[in-house]
Amino acid sequence: MLAALPPLSTPNGVDILGILPEVILGGGFVMLLLLDLVTSASHRGWLAGFSLVAVAASFGSTVWGWFDAATPHTVYFGSFAYDRFGLFINAIILVSTALVLVISPQYLNRRGMHYGEYYSLILAAATGMMLLAGASSLMVIFLAIELLSIALYILSGFNRHEPRSQEAALKYLLLGGFASGFLLFGRALIYGETGHTQLAQIFSALQSSGNSVDPLLMAGIALLFVGLAFKISAAPFHTWTPDVYQGAPTSVTTFMSVTTKVAAFAALIRVFTYTLGEPTVYDRWKIMVYFVAIASMVIGNVAALRQTSLKRMLGYSGIAQAGYILIGVVVPPFTAQGSVNTVGTVGSLYYLAAYAVTNIGAFAVITIMAGRGEDMDSYDSLRGLAFRRPYVAAAMGLFLLSLGGFPPTAGFFAKFFVFAAAINAHEVPLALWGIATSAISVFYYLRVALLMYTRPRPDQAAYNWSRTSLSGGGVLLLTVGGTLVLGIFVTLVLNLAILAQHGAIPS
């Protein structure tokens, strides 16, 4: 019999340990609001330090929970899942948040918008994302999305004197409101058909219904998917992405481009792959996700070819990456014998981790390059970067190679895992679409890399490595290390597995 994954035991009552990481980060958010009232403008850097302490404490409780949650279960009467799936997503979100907080103060000072509420909003959004990752109820999913969305709407327009930032916030707010409407309507239809809002109970109701699938249930599933597809920037629900990425402050774009996608995919996998994974229901929503994945890969990569802004290019690249991750969602969550099949989920989770470290590194480069009064994200500003800041250019080149899927970077193995999962599930056409569109992406990634190693024009300002702050350089080193370590580690593991399979070493 098909079982929900992760397998959750009987719901428990109130258990503060099950939501301890979220409580710590949420408490840090409230404390920051109070500290900002008594902190002078010259000491706002301390707020960044306090934010990092809160993130570190939350990360520590997440690591402790990894060993404590050996038996997955739900807390607060089935509303929240305490399992390693959610804790893994928490770890990605917290590490990404910490890296963004490290590079934020200098960027905010250069742009003249270093206000204390920035750090409060970052922690509020991260708390919502962590709640979304562990939500096992449609009610909690909606509340978590609203918490993270409201914080991100404000952060997108945080540059109060920049019209493009205000435009980005308005677009995000209006389209996000429509997406929330789809999400609510879909949730209402699913509740009306199953009589439940908790995911485990919905799964049981679908199993007991046999082979009959009501059209209203499928309409609810479709609307729910539209709401989540907006958050993961999947086509054709992607139109907000390039405009918001370009208009929002770069540190905010760095944060939302990774963490929002990671949290939304966690909810999507938990709901669609393992709650709505009952074979009869899966066969019906699979086609919808299948074509959205293809549309995202095609539209994202083709549109990125025409861009001259690095932030917009990475925005369209994120749309394409969402299509690749959706391949893991399309893979059947069960085998022919009815047992749980986690290959697609493992591929998607690895892809999310690899994408997080790579994309944060790429946006960190833009953040470091930002000057007073503007974000230097145009292709023209990248010309000759290798002659002005050779280490920054080398790091950016590595991130672009990883996003393009070149070995032995983490991005290569991310694509390898999802494509292999699709092929093993006999979804070969979907894997071929992914391979073909990955070939298209090589052109715009290499275009940027070649610009960086083209000699600058005589009228371009001369920059050097010494202008990169210690915090910015540290973030680049960490993300470069993560991109290489994830790739090299997987390479070693695969080689050892092949040797063991052929008897060269003991298995």
PDB file of all heavy atoms in Angstrom, residues 206 218 221-222 225 268-269 271-291 326 328-334:
ATOM      1  N   LEU A 206      -8.442   9.943   0.220  1.00  0.00           N
ATOM      2  CA  LEU A 206      -8.261   9.611  -1.192  1.00  0.00           C
ATOM      3  C   LEU A 206      -8.067   8.119  -1.382  1.00  0.00           C
ATOM      4  O   LEU A 206      -8.532   7.543  -2.374  1.00  0.00           O
ATOM      5  CB  LEU A 206      -7.048  10.373  -1.756  1.00  0.00           C
ATOM      6  CG  LEU A 206      -7.189  11.899  -1.828  1.00  0.00           C
ATOM      7  CD1 LEU A 206      -5.904  12.533  -2.328  1.00  0.00           C
ATOM      8  CD2 LEU A 206      -8.348  12.285  -2.737  1.00  0.00           C
ATOM      9  N   MET A 218     -10.205  17.619  -8.610  1.00  0.00           N
ATOM     10  CA  MET A 218      -9.127  17.939  -9.553  1.00  0.00           C
ATOM     11  C   MET A 218      -9.027  19.447  -9.777  1.00  0.00           C
ATOM     12  O   MET A 218      -7.920  19.983  -9.938  1.00  0.00           O
ATOM     13  CB  MET A 218      -9.360  17.227 -10.883  1.00  0.00           C
ATOM     14  CG  MET A 218      -9.234  15.707 -10.805  1.00  0.00           C
ATOM     15  SD  MET A 218      -7.715  15.159  -9.962  1.00  0.00           S
ATOM     16  CE  MET A 218      -6.461  15.968 -10.927  1.00  0.00           C
ATOM     17  N   ILE A 221      -7.131  20.727  -6.819  1.00  0.00           N
ATOM     18  CA  ILE A 221      -5.704  20.402  -6.934  1.00  0.00           C
ATOM     19  C   ILE A 221      -5.025  21.338  -7.925  1.00  0.00           C
ATOM     20  O   ILE A 221      -3.914  21.819  -7.690  1.00  0.00           O
ATOM     21  CB  ILE A 221      -5.529  18.923  -7.350  1.00  0.00           C
ATOM     22  CG1 ILE A 221      -5.990  17.996  -6.214  1.00  0.00           C
ATOM     23  CG2 ILE A 221      -4.088  18.628  -7.729  1.00  0.00           C
ATOM     24  CD1 ILE A 221      -6.021  16.527  -6.588  1.00  0.00           C
ATOM     25  N   ALA A 222      -5.704  21.609  -9.043  1.00  0.00           N
ATOM     26  CA  ALA A 222      -5.131  22.504 -10.058  1.00  0.00           C
ATOM     27  C   ALA A 222      -4.948  23.911  -9.507  1.00  0.00           C
ATOM     28  O   ALA A 222      -3.907  24.552  -9.718  1.00  0.00           O
ATOM     29  CB  ALA A 222      -6.026  22.528 -11.301  1.00  0.00           C
ATOM     30  N   PHE A 225      -2.087  24.018  -7.078  1.00  0.00           N
ATOM     31  CA  PHE A 225      -0.809  23.994  -7.789  1.00  0.00           C
ATOM     32  C   PHE A 225      -0.468  25.364  -8.363  1.00  0.00           C
ATOM     33  O   PHE A 225       0.690  25.787  -8.339  1.00  0.00           O
ATOM     34  CB  PHE A 225      -0.846  22.951  -8.910  1.00  0.00           C
ATOM     35  CG  PHE A 225       0.415  22.900  -9.730  1.00  0.00           C
ATOM     36  CD1 PHE A 225       1.575  22.362  -9.208  1.00  0.00           C
ATOM     37  CD2 PHE A 225       0.446  23.420 -11.018  1.00  0.00           C
ATOM     38  CE1 PHE A 225       2.752  22.324  -9.951  1.00  0.00           C
ATOM     39  CE2 PHE A 225       1.610  23.389 -11.765  1.00  0.00           C
ATOM     40  CZ  PHE A 225       2.761  22.837 -11.230  1.00  0.00           C
ATOM     41  N   LEU A 268       5.304  21.866  -1.969  1.00  0.00           N
ATOM     42  CA  LEU A 268       4.801  21.218  -3.183  1.00  0.00           C
ATOM     43  C   LEU A 268       5.069  19.716  -3.144  1.00  0.00           C
ATOM     44  O   LEU A 268       4.192  18.904  -3.476  1.00  0.00           O
ATOM     45  CB  LEU A 268       5.476  21.847  -4.406  1.00  0.00           C
ATOM     46  CG  LEU A 268       4.979  21.393  -5.781  1.00  0.00           C
ATOM     47  CD1 LEU A 268       3.558  21.881  -6.022  1.00  0.00           C
ATOM     48  CD2 LEU A 268       5.894  21.918  -6.878  1.00  0.00           C
ATOM     49  N   ILE A 269       6.275  19.329  -2.727  1.00  0.00           N
ATOM     50  CA  ILE A 269       6.614  17.905  -2.668  1.00  0.00           C
ATOM     51  C   ILE A 269       5.783  17.199  -1.609  1.00  0.00           C
ATOM     52  O   ILE A 269       5.247  16.102  -1.823  1.00  0.00           O
ATOM     53  CB  ILE A 269       8.119  17.730  -2.386  1.00  0.00           C
ATOM     54  CG1 ILE A 269       8.935  18.203  -3.582  1.00  0.00           C
ATOM     55  CG2 ILE A 269       8.451  16.273  -2.067  1.00  0.00           C
ATOM     56  CD1 ILE A 269      10.427  18.283  -3.327  1.00  0.00           C
ATOM     57  N   VAL A 271       2.844  18.013  -0.437  1.00  0.00           N
ATOM     58  CA  VAL A 271       1.427  17.950  -0.785  1.00  0.00           C
ATOM     59  C   VAL A 271       1.187  17.063  -1.996  1.00  0.00           C
ATOM     60  O   VAL A 271       0.369  16.131  -1.953  1.00  0.00           O
ATOM     61  CB  VAL A 271       0.872  19.367  -1.054  1.00  0.00           C
ATOM     62  CG1 VAL A 271      -0.550  19.289  -1.604  1.00  0.00           C
ATOM     63  CG2 VAL A 271       0.886  20.188   0.225  1.00  0.00           C
ATOM     64  N   PHE A 272       1.903  17.323  -3.084  1.00  0.00           N
ATOM     65  CA  PHE A 272       1.591  16.632  -4.330  1.00  0.00           C
ATOM     66  C   PHE A 272       2.194  15.233  -4.396  1.00  0.00           C
ATOM     67  O   PHE A 272       1.505  14.270  -4.745  1.00  0.00           O
ATOM     68  CB  PHE A 272       2.053  17.472  -5.534  1.00  0.00           C
ATOM     69  CG  PHE A 272       1.073  18.541  -5.906  1.00  0.00           C
ATOM     70  CD1 PHE A 272       1.002  19.708  -5.179  1.00  0.00           C
ATOM     71  CD2 PHE A 272       0.193  18.359  -6.954  1.00  0.00           C
ATOM     72  CE1 PHE A 272       0.080  20.690  -5.495  1.00  0.00           C
ATOM     73  CE2 PHE A 272      -0.738  19.324  -7.288  1.00  0.00           C
ATOM     74  CZ  PHE A 272      -0.796  20.496  -6.558  1.00  0.00           C
ATOM     75  N   THR A 273       3.461  15.122  -4.069  1.00  0.00           N
ATOM     76  CA  THR A 273       4.101  13.824  -4.257  1.00  0.00           C
ATOM     77  C   THR A 273       3.598  12.791  -3.269  1.00  0.00           C
ATOM     78  O   THR A 273       3.399  11.632  -3.631  1.00  0.00           O
ATOM     79  CB  THR A 273       5.633  13.970  -4.127  1.00  0.00           C
ATOM     80  OG1 THR A 273       6.080  14.977  -5.039  1.00  0.00           O
ATOM     81  CG2 THR A 273       6.336  12.672  -4.448  1.00  0.00           C
ATOM     82  N   TYR A 274       3.372  13.179  -2.010  1.00  0.00           N
ATOM     83  CA  TYR A 274       3.079  12.176  -1.006  1.00  0.00           C
ATOM     84  C   TYR A 274       1.711  12.291  -0.357  1.00  0.00           C
ATOM     85  O   TYR A 274       1.288  11.374   0.317  1.00  0.00           O
ATOM     86  CB  TYR A 274       4.179  12.199   0.061  1.00  0.00           C
ATOM     87  CG  TYR A 274       5.506  11.854  -0.555  1.00  0.00           C
ATOM     88  CD1 TYR A 274       6.508  12.793  -0.664  1.00  0.00           C
ATOM     89  CD2 TYR A 274       5.727  10.586  -1.093  1.00  0.00           C
ATOM     90  CE1 TYR A 274       7.713  12.479  -1.268  1.00  0.00           C
ATOM     91  CE2 TYR A 274       6.926  10.267  -1.698  1.00  0.00           C
ATOM     92  CZ  TYR A 274       7.919  11.216  -1.781  1.00  0.00           C
ATOM     93  OH  TYR A 274       9.106  10.895  -2.392  1.00  0.00           O
ATOM     94  N   THR A 275       0.997  13.377  -0.553  1.00  0.00           N
ATOM     95  CA  THR A 275      -0.386  13.448  -0.074  1.00  0.00           C
ATOM     96  C   THR A 275      -1.352  13.142  -1.205  1.00  0.00           C
ATOM     97  O   THR A 275      -2.311  12.388  -1.033  1.00  0.00           O
ATOM     98  CB  THR A 275      -0.686  14.842   0.514  1.00  0.00           C
ATOM     99  OG1 THR A 275       0.214  15.100   1.587  1.00  0.00           O
ATOM    100  CG2 THR A 275      -2.115  14.905   1.024  1.00  0.00           C
ATOM    101  N   LEU A 276      -1.090  13.730  -2.364  1.00  0.00           N
ATOM    102  CA  LEU A 276      -1.934  13.504  -3.534  1.00  0.00           C
ATOM    103  C   LEU A 276      -1.291  12.475  -4.464  1.00  0.00           C
ATOM    104  O   LEU A 276      -1.553  12.471  -5.659  1.00  0.00           O
ATOM    105  CB  LEU A 276      -2.151  14.826  -4.285  1.00  0.00           C
ATOM    106  CG  LEU A 276      -2.737  15.959  -3.448  1.00  0.00           C
ATOM    107  CD1 LEU A 276      -2.772  17.255  -4.242  1.00  0.00           C
ATOM    108  CD2 LEU A 276      -4.137  15.596  -2.946  1.00  0.00           C
ATOM    109  N   GLY A 277      -0.441  11.621  -3.916  1.00  0.00           N
ATOM    110  CA  GLY A 277       0.268  10.636  -4.725  1.00  0.00           C
ATOM    111  C   GLY A 277      -0.477   9.341  -4.935  1.00  0.00           C
ATOM    112  O   GLY A 277       0.078   8.399  -5.516  1.00  0.00           O
ATOM    113  N   GLU A 278      -1.698   9.240  -4.442  1.00  0.00           N
ATOM    114  CA  GLU A 278      -2.503   8.043  -4.687  1.00  0.00           C
ATOM    115  C   GLU A 278      -2.606   7.840  -6.200  1.00  0.00           C
ATOM    116  O   GLU A 278      -2.858   8.792  -6.950  1.00  0.00           O
ATOM    117  CB  GLU A 278      -3.892   8.241  -4.062  1.00  0.00           C
ATOM    118  CG  GLU A 278      -4.673   6.972  -3.859  1.00  0.00           C
ATOM    119  CD  GLU A 278      -5.368   6.503  -5.123  1.00  0.00           C
ATOM    120  OE1 GLU A 278      -5.750   7.371  -5.925  1.00  0.00           O
ATOM    121  OE2 GLU A 278      -5.529   5.284  -5.297  1.00  0.00           O
ATOM    122  N   PRO A 279      -2.350   6.617  -6.704  1.00  0.00           N
ATOM    123  CA  PRO A 279      -2.177   6.405  -8.150  1.00  0.00           C
ATOM    124  C   PRO A 279      -3.241   7.030  -9.036  1.00  0.00           C
ATOM    125  O   PRO A 279      -2.929   7.641 -10.054  1.00  0.00           O
ATOM    126  CB  PRO A 279      -2.162   4.872  -8.269  1.00  0.00           C
ATOM    127  CG  PRO A 279      -1.645   4.402  -6.956  1.00  0.00           C
ATOM    128  CD  PRO A 279      -2.162   5.367  -5.943  1.00  0.00           C
ATOM    129  N   THR A 280      -4.505   6.913  -8.655  1.00  0.00           N
ATOM    130  CA  THR A 280      -5.563   7.444  -9.505  1.00  0.00           C
ATOM    131  C   THR A 280      -5.492   8.969  -9.591  1.00  0.00           C
ATOM    132  O   THR A 280      -5.672   9.564 -10.661  1.00  0.00           O
ATOM    133  CB  THR A 280      -6.938   7.024  -8.968  1.00  0.00           C
ATOM    134  OG1 THR A 280      -6.984   5.596  -8.839  1.00  0.00           O
ATOM    135  CG2 THR A 280      -8.042   7.477  -9.915  1.00  0.00           C
ATOM    136  N   VAL A 281      -5.228   9.606  -8.469  1.00  0.00           N
ATOM    137  CA  VAL A 281      -5.114  11.066  -8.448  1.00  0.00           C
ATOM    138  C   VAL A 281      -3.829  11.514  -9.128  1.00  0.00           C
ATOM    139  O   VAL A 281      -3.816  12.481  -9.902  1.00  0.00           O
ATOM    140  CB  VAL A 281      -5.173  11.585  -6.995  1.00  0.00           C
ATOM    141  CG1 VAL A 281      -5.067  13.104  -6.958  1.00  0.00           C
ATOM    142  CG2 VAL A 281      -6.449  11.123  -6.304  1.00  0.00           C
ATOM    143  N   TYR A 282      -2.743  10.806  -8.858  1.00  0.00           N
ATOM    144  CA  TYR A 282      -1.449  11.159  -9.453  1.00  0.00           C
ATOM    145  C   TYR A 282      -1.517  11.151 -10.974  1.00  0.00           C
ATOM    146  O   TYR A 282      -0.980  12.056 -11.637  1.00  0.00           O
ATOM    147  CB  TYR A 282      -0.377  10.174  -8.967  1.00  0.00           C
ATOM    148  CG  TYR A 282       0.882  10.189  -9.794  1.00  0.00           C
ATOM    149  CD1 TYR A 282       1.849  11.184  -9.633  1.00  0.00           C
ATOM    150  CD2 TYR A 282       1.107   9.220 -10.774  1.00  0.00           C
ATOM    151  CE1 TYR A 282       2.996  11.204 -10.403  1.00  0.00           C
ATOM    152  CE2 TYR A 282       2.247   9.232 -11.546  1.00  0.00           C
ATOM    153  CZ  TYR A 282       3.189  10.227 -11.360  1.00  0.00           C
ATOM    154  OH  TYR A 282       4.321  10.244 -12.138  1.00  0.00           O
ATOM    155  N   ASP A 283      -2.173  10.162 -11.555  1.00  0.00           N
ATOM    156  CA  ASP A 283      -2.241  10.063 -13.015  1.00  0.00           C
ATOM    157  C   ASP A 283      -2.922  11.263 -13.641  1.00  0.00           C
ATOM    158  O   ASP A 283      -2.676  11.583 -14.811  1.00  0.00           O
ATOM    159  CB  ASP A 283      -2.988   8.783 -13.418  1.00  0.00           C
ATOM    160  CG  ASP A 283      -2.177   7.526 -13.124  1.00  0.00           C
ATOM    161  OD1 ASP A 283      -0.931   7.636 -13.018  1.00  0.00           O
ATOM    162  OD2 ASP A 283      -2.785   6.444 -12.973  1.00  0.00           O
ATOM    163  N   ARG A 284      -3.742  11.948 -12.866  1.00  0.00           N
ATOM    164  CA  ARG A 284      -4.464  13.102 -13.414  1.00  0.00           C
ATOM    165  C   ARG A 284      -3.685  14.407 -13.260  1.00  0.00           C
ATOM    166  O   ARG A 284      -3.690  15.237 -14.164  1.00  0.00           O
ATOM    167  CB  ARG A 284      -5.842  13.210 -12.751  1.00  0.00           C
ATOM    168  CG  ARG A 284      -6.809  12.141 -13.265  1.00  0.00           C
ATOM    169  CD  ARG A 284      -8.051  12.029 -12.388  1.00  0.00           C
ATOM    170  NE  ARG A 284      -9.076  11.186 -13.008  1.00  0.00           N
ATOM    171  CZ  ARG A 284      -9.053   9.865 -13.032  1.00  0.00           C
ATOM    172  NH1 ARG A 284      -8.038   9.215 -12.470  1.00  0.00           N
ATOM    173  NH2 ARG A 284     -10.023   9.172 -13.605  1.00  0.00           N
ATOM    174  N   TRP A 285      -3.039  14.628 -12.100  1.00  0.00           N
ATOM    175  CA  TRP A 285      -2.301  15.888 -11.973  1.00  0.00           C
ATOM    176  C   TRP A 285      -0.909  15.814 -12.576  1.00  0.00           C
ATOM    177  O   TRP A 285      -0.276  16.855 -12.790  1.00  0.00           O
ATOM    178  CB  TRP A 285      -2.247  16.354 -10.528  1.00  0.00           C
ATOM    179  CG  TRP A 285      -1.532  15.500  -9.508  1.00  0.00           C
ATOM    180  CD1 TRP A 285      -2.109  14.753  -8.537  1.00  0.00           C
ATOM    181  CD2 TRP A 285      -0.114  15.358  -9.330  1.00  0.00           C
ATOM    182  NE1 TRP A 285      -1.149  14.130  -7.770  1.00  0.00           N
ATOM    183  CE2 TRP A 285       0.089  14.500  -8.227  1.00  0.00           C
ATOM    184  CE3 TRP A 285       1.010  15.864  -9.990  1.00  0.00           C
ATOM    185  CZ2 TRP A 285       1.352  14.122  -7.777  1.00  0.00           C
ATOM    186  CZ3 TRP A 285       2.270  15.504  -9.541  1.00  0.00           C
ATOM    187  CH2 TRP A 285       2.435  14.641  -8.453  1.00  0.00           C
ATOM    188  N   LYS A 286      -0.430  14.635 -12.867  1.00  0.00           N
ATOM    189  CA  LYS A 286       0.902  14.479 -13.448  1.00  0.00           C
ATOM    190  C   LYS A 286       1.036  15.249 -14.760  1.00  0.00           C
ATOM    191  O   LYS A 286       2.058  15.904 -15.008  1.00  0.00           O
ATOM    192  CB  LYS A 286       1.193  12.992 -13.662  1.00  0.00           C
ATOM    193  CG  LYS A 286       2.389  12.713 -14.552  1.00  0.00           C
ATOM    194  CD  LYS A 286       2.443  11.235 -14.910  1.00  0.00           C
ATOM    195  CE  LYS A 286       3.423  10.993 -16.037  1.00  0.00           C
ATOM    196  NZ  LYS A 286       3.449   9.570 -16.461  1.00  0.00           N
ATOM    197  N   ILE A 287       0.012  15.188 -15.611  1.00  0.00           N
ATOM    198  CA  ILE A 287       0.071  15.849 -16.923  1.00  0.00           C
ATOM    199  C   ILE A 287       0.238  17.352 -16.745  1.00  0.00           C
ATOM    200  O   ILE A 287       1.015  18.007 -17.461  1.00  0.00           O
ATOM    201  CB  ILE A 287      -1.202  15.547 -17.732  1.00  0.00           C
ATOM    202  CG1 ILE A 287      -1.367  14.042 -17.911  1.00  0.00           C
ATOM    203  CG2 ILE A 287      -1.144  16.247 -19.082  1.00  0.00           C
ATOM    204  CD1 ILE A 287      -0.225  13.383 -18.660  1.00  0.00           C
ATOM    205  N   MET A 288      -0.465  17.922 -15.782  1.00  0.00           N
ATOM    206  CA  MET A 288      -0.385  19.363 -15.536  1.00  0.00           C
ATOM    207  C   MET A 288       1.036  19.756 -15.134  1.00  0.00           C
ATOM    208  O   MET A 288       1.620  20.704 -15.688  1.00  0.00           O
ATOM    209  CB  MET A 288      -1.377  19.736 -14.431  1.00  0.00           C
ATOM    210  CG  MET A 288      -1.282  21.152 -13.916  1.00  0.00           C
ATOM    211  SD  MET A 288      -2.522  21.463 -12.642  1.00  0.00           S
ATOM    212  CE  MET A 288      -2.025  20.277 -11.376  1.00  0.00           C
ATOM    213  N   VAL A 289       1.620  19.046 -14.199  1.00  0.00           N
ATOM    214  CA  VAL A 289       2.973  19.359 -13.738  1.00  0.00           C
ATOM    215  C   VAL A 289       3.984  19.090 -14.849  1.00  0.00           C
ATOM    216  O   VAL A 289       4.974  19.825 -15.001  1.00  0.00           O
ATOM    217  CB  VAL A 289       3.307  18.536 -12.478  1.00  0.00           C
ATOM    218  CG1 VAL A 289       4.713  18.857 -11.977  1.00  0.00           C
ATOM    219  CG2 VAL A 289       2.293  18.812 -11.375  1.00  0.00           C
ATOM    220  N   TYR A 290       3.742  18.060 -15.628  1.00  0.00           N
ATOM    221  CA  TYR A 290       4.622  17.693 -16.745  1.00  0.00           C
ATOM    222  C   TYR A 290       4.788  18.871 -17.705  1.00  0.00           C
ATOM    223  O   TYR A 290       5.917  19.252 -18.062  1.00  0.00           O
ATOM    224  CB  TYR A 290       4.008  16.487 -17.457  1.00  0.00           C
ATOM    225  CG  TYR A 290       4.899  15.780 -18.450  1.00  0.00           C
ATOM    226  CD1 TYR A 290       5.488  14.564 -18.135  1.00  0.00           C
ATOM    227  CD2 TYR A 290       5.117  16.293 -19.724  1.00  0.00           C
ATOM    228  CE1 TYR A 290       6.285  13.890 -19.047  1.00  0.00           C
ATOM    229  CE2 TYR A 290       5.908  15.635 -20.643  1.00  0.00           C
ATOM    230  CZ  TYR A 290       6.491  14.426 -20.300  1.00  0.00           C
ATOM    231  OH  TYR A 290       7.273  13.774 -21.212  1.00  0.00           O
ATOM    232  N   PHE A 291       3.672  19.455 -18.120  1.00  0.00           N
ATOM    233  CA  PHE A 291       3.749  20.538 -19.102  1.00  0.00           C
ATOM    234  C   PHE A 291       4.238  21.846 -18.483  1.00  0.00           C
ATOM    235  O   PHE A 291       4.890  22.647 -19.161  1.00  0.00           O
ATOM    236  CB  PHE A 291       2.391  20.728 -19.771  1.00  0.00           C
ATOM    237  CG  PHE A 291       2.079  19.681 -20.795  1.00  0.00           C
ATOM    238  CD1 PHE A 291       1.146  18.689 -20.539  1.00  0.00           C
ATOM    239  CD2 PHE A 291       2.744  19.653 -22.007  1.00  0.00           C
ATOM    240  CE1 PHE A 291       0.873  17.695 -21.477  1.00  0.00           C
ATOM    241  CE2 PHE A 291       2.477  18.680 -22.960  1.00  0.00           C
ATOM    242  CZ  PHE A 291       1.542  17.694 -22.692  1.00  0.00           C
ATOM    243  N   LEU A 326      11.028  20.430 -10.972  1.00  0.00           N
ATOM    244  CA  LEU A 326       9.708  19.815 -11.139  1.00  0.00           C
ATOM    245  C   LEU A 326       9.781  18.425 -11.761  1.00  0.00           C
ATOM    246  O   LEU A 326       8.854  17.627 -11.601  1.00  0.00           O
ATOM    247  CB  LEU A 326       8.805  20.718 -11.988  1.00  0.00           C
ATOM    248  CG  LEU A 326       8.158  21.908 -11.279  1.00  0.00           C
ATOM    249  CD1 LEU A 326       7.416  22.785 -12.274  1.00  0.00           C
ATOM    250  CD2 LEU A 326       7.212  21.438 -10.183  1.00  0.00           C
ATOM    251  N   GLY A 328      11.652  16.108 -10.749  1.00  0.00           N
ATOM    252  CA  GLY A 328      11.624  15.200  -9.606  1.00  0.00           C
ATOM    253  C   GLY A 328      10.241  15.030  -9.018  1.00  0.00           C
ATOM    254  O   GLY A 328       9.920  13.989  -8.446  1.00  0.00           O
ATOM    255  N   VAL A 329       9.383  16.052  -9.155  1.00  0.00           N
ATOM    256  CA  VAL A 329       8.005  15.961  -8.659  1.00  0.00           C
ATOM    257  C   VAL A 329       7.174  15.068  -9.567  1.00  0.00           C
ATOM    258  O   VAL A 329       6.285  14.342  -9.103  1.00  0.00           O
ATOM    259  CB  VAL A 329       7.380  17.364  -8.552  1.00  0.00           C
ATOM    260  CG1 VAL A 329       5.942  17.301  -8.059  1.00  0.00           C
ATOM    261  CG2 VAL A 329       8.213  18.239  -7.610  1.00  0.00           C
ATOM    262  N   VAL A 330       7.455  15.102 -10.875  1.00  0.00           N
ATOM    263  CA  VAL A 330       6.692  14.291 -11.828  1.00  0.00           C
ATOM    264  C   VAL A 330       6.972  12.806 -11.651  1.00  0.00           C
ATOM    265  O   VAL A 330       6.104  11.961 -11.908  1.00  0.00           O
ATOM    266  CB  VAL A 330       7.020  14.738 -13.272  1.00  0.00           C
ATOM    267  CG1 VAL A 330       6.378  13.810 -14.294  1.00  0.00           C
ATOM    268  CG2 VAL A 330       6.547  16.165 -13.505  1.00  0.00           C
ATOM    269  N   VAL A 331       8.180  12.450 -11.206  1.00  0.00           N
ATOM    270  CA  VAL A 331       8.533  11.038 -11.027  1.00  0.00           C
ATOM    271  C   VAL A 331       7.529  10.379 -10.088  1.00  0.00           C
ATOM    272  O   VAL A 331       7.232  10.920  -9.016  1.00  0.00           O
ATOM    273  CB  VAL A 331       9.968  10.907 -10.462  1.00  0.00           C
ATOM    274  CG1 VAL A 331      10.279   9.462 -10.095  1.00  0.00           C
ATOM    275  CG2 VAL A 331      10.974  11.421 -11.484  1.00  0.00           C
ATOM    276  N   PRO A 332       6.978   9.211 -10.443  1.00  0.00           N
ATOM    277  CA  PRO A 332       5.956   8.570  -9.610  1.00  0.00           C
ATOM    278  C   PRO A 332       6.440   8.336  -8.181  1.00  0.00           C
ATOM    279  O   PRO A 332       7.566   7.873  -7.977  1.00  0.00           O
ATOM    280  CB  PRO A 332       5.707   7.232 -10.323  1.00  0.00           C
ATOM    281  CG  PRO A 332       6.136   7.458 -11.730  1.00  0.00           C
ATOM    282  CD  PRO A 332       7.270   8.437 -11.660  1.00  0.00           C
ATOM    283  N   PRO A 333       5.621   8.664  -7.189  1.00  0.00           N
ATOM    284  CA  PRO A 333       6.026   8.476  -5.792  1.00  0.00           C
ATOM    285  C   PRO A 333       5.861   7.045  -5.297  1.00  0.00           C
ATOM    286  O   PRO A 333       5.978   6.783  -4.105  1.00  0.00           O
ATOM    287  CB  PRO A 333       5.083   9.421  -5.044  1.00  0.00           C
ATOM    288  CG  PRO A 333       3.853   9.440  -5.875  1.00  0.00           C
ATOM    289  CD  PRO A 333       4.308   9.327  -7.302  1.00  0.00           C
ATOM    290  N   PHE A 334       5.574   6.116  -6.200  1.00  0.00           N
ATOM    291  CA  PHE A 334       5.363   4.723  -5.806  1.00  0.00           C
ATOM    292  C   PHE A 334       5.922   3.824  -6.898  1.00  0.00           C
ATOM    293  O   PHE A 334       6.086   4.220  -8.049  1.00  0.00           O
ATOM    294  CB  PHE A 334       3.869   4.440  -5.620  1.00  0.00           C
ATOM    295  CG  PHE A 334       3.033   4.885  -6.788  1.00  0.00           C
ATOM    296  CD1 PHE A 334       2.827   4.076  -7.885  1.00  0.00           C
ATOM    297  CD2 PHE A 334       2.461   6.152  -6.801  1.00  0.00           C
ATOM    298  CE1 PHE A 334       2.078   4.493  -8.965  1.00  0.00           C
ATOM    299  CE2 PHE A 334       1.704   6.591  -7.881  1.00  0.00           C
ATOM    300  CZ  PHE A 334       1.513   5.748  -8.962  1.00  0.00           C
TER     301      PHE A 334
END
